[in-house]
Amino acid sequence: MKAQLALTPAPARTRIKICGLTREQDVDAAVAAGADAIGFVMYAPSPRFVTPARAAKLAARLPPFVTPVLLFVNESAINVIASSAYVPGATLQFHGDETPEDCWASSNQGARTFLRAARIPLGDSGARFPLVEYAQQFSRAHAILLDAHVEAYGGSGKAFNWSLLPPSVNAHLVLSGGLSPANVGDGILALRPRCTSLAVDVSSGVECDAPEGGTQKGIKDAEKIQRFVAAVRAADELFARNTHV
């Protein structure tokens, strides 16, 4: 009689989105590193802005099962639908002051999957953000993307205090804002137990360093992308070990 082998479930894999891409080589580097989604900023004031036609050209390089994501800020439904027509398989991301009705109209009544950004205040004020209610309000969104609330739109590059978020949120969450290879693991370990599933979204944290300080916005560093993905996978393994002890 053959012995029964106990099967250990495979650890949950944190999905990874690399956002703010503007160059072919950066799209290729993100795909090679194992990214699940690639983000294109459709917000003209952003230094990472690309036109719909440019987004379509870059998205055409993606292999099957890597998702293009188009980021919009306070854009009209007509313009969102027209712009997203250039990239038929894209998910939409709303990063401004859009209401649930705005998101639904811009998604063409659910014809497009969409994410809704929640702008979490910096400092202790983050504890007062009503994330549970916000997720319920935007229940038609595929996920709620968490970013720091700063004056500008379209991504902050700053990290909020993850520990102040509610202990349980009945939604898929995407952690964003100030992530880098150095801190993404801490973010995953802090938030994974609090939500239905967790993904991560990085932009400035994988950009090339600028000579004057900061980063070259929209210009990605392939080595940083690889280190970011490796840090996510290491956090997944650590989380799996801790939950099976």
Side-chain angles (χ1 to χ4, degrees):
M1 189 175 188
K2 292 184 178 179
Q4 293 287 325
L5 296 177
L7 298 178
T8 302
R13 184 170 69 85
T14 302
R15 265 57 182 183
I16 299 170
K17 173 173 169 266
I18 311 295
C19 195
L21 279 76
T22 63
R23 306 188 304 171
E24 285 82 357
Q25 59 264 46
D26 296 338
V27 171
D28 295 345
V31 169
D36 301 281
I38 305 297
F40 304 111
V41 177
M42 314 301 289
Y43 178 52
S46 170
R48 302 178 181 94
F49 168 72
V50 294
T51 65
R54 178 65 175 155
K57 185 175 181 180
L58 293 169
R61 303 179 72 84
L62 299 178
F65 311 124
V66 176
T67 303
V69 180
L70 306 180
L71 186 157
F72 295 93
V73 176
N74 297 333
E75 190 57 82
S76 69
I78 290 174
N79 287 344
V80 171
I81 292 170
S83 296
S84 57
Y86 283 79
V87 190
T91 290
L92 310 180
Q93 179 177 324
F94 300 113
H95 224 288
D97 304 308
E98 298 89 351
T99 66
E101 294 73 24
D102 292 334
C103 295
W104 189 243
S106 294
S107 73
N108 204 2
Q109 285 70 50
R112 295 273 188 162
T113 300
F114 66 91
L115 315 176
R116 179 66 174 101
R119 304 174 75 200
I120 311 297
L122 296 171
D124 293 341
S125 298
R128 295 192 290 274
F129 187 86
L131 183 57
V132 172
E133 292 80 3
Y134 190 90
Q136 291 173 343
Q137 183 183 13
F138 288 94
S139 59
R140 286 169 160 168
H142 191 62
I144 302 299
L145 184 142
L146 310 176
D147 198 2
H149 190 165
V150 296
E151 205 169 308
Y153 288 109
S156 68
K158 296 183 180 292
F160 58 91
N161 190 340
W162 308 314
S163 67
L164 299 179
L165 293 177
S168 180
V169 182
N170 185 25
H172 300 291
L173 298 182
V174 181
L175 177 60
S176 183
L179 293 182
S180 70
N183 67 7
V184 67
D186 292 336
I188 291 170
L189 296 176
L191 291 187
R192 174 73 72 77
R194 304 179 184 220
C195 55
T196 303
S197 75
L198 183 69
V200 292
D201 184 352
V202 65
S203 183
S204 60
V206 294
E207 287 181 331
C208 294
D209 296 328
E212 67 278 9
T215 65
Q216 299 181 51
K217 299 184 186 302
I219 308 301
K220 307 306 182 186
D221 183 315
E223 191 270 337
K224 285 185 181 181
I225 292 174
Q226 291 173 352
R227 287 197 288 116
F228 185 86
V229 173
V232 172
R233 297 295 165 246
D236 284 349
E237 292 180 8
L238 181 58
F239 182 82
R241 288 201 301 270
N242 290 343
T243 55
H244 287 96
V245 171

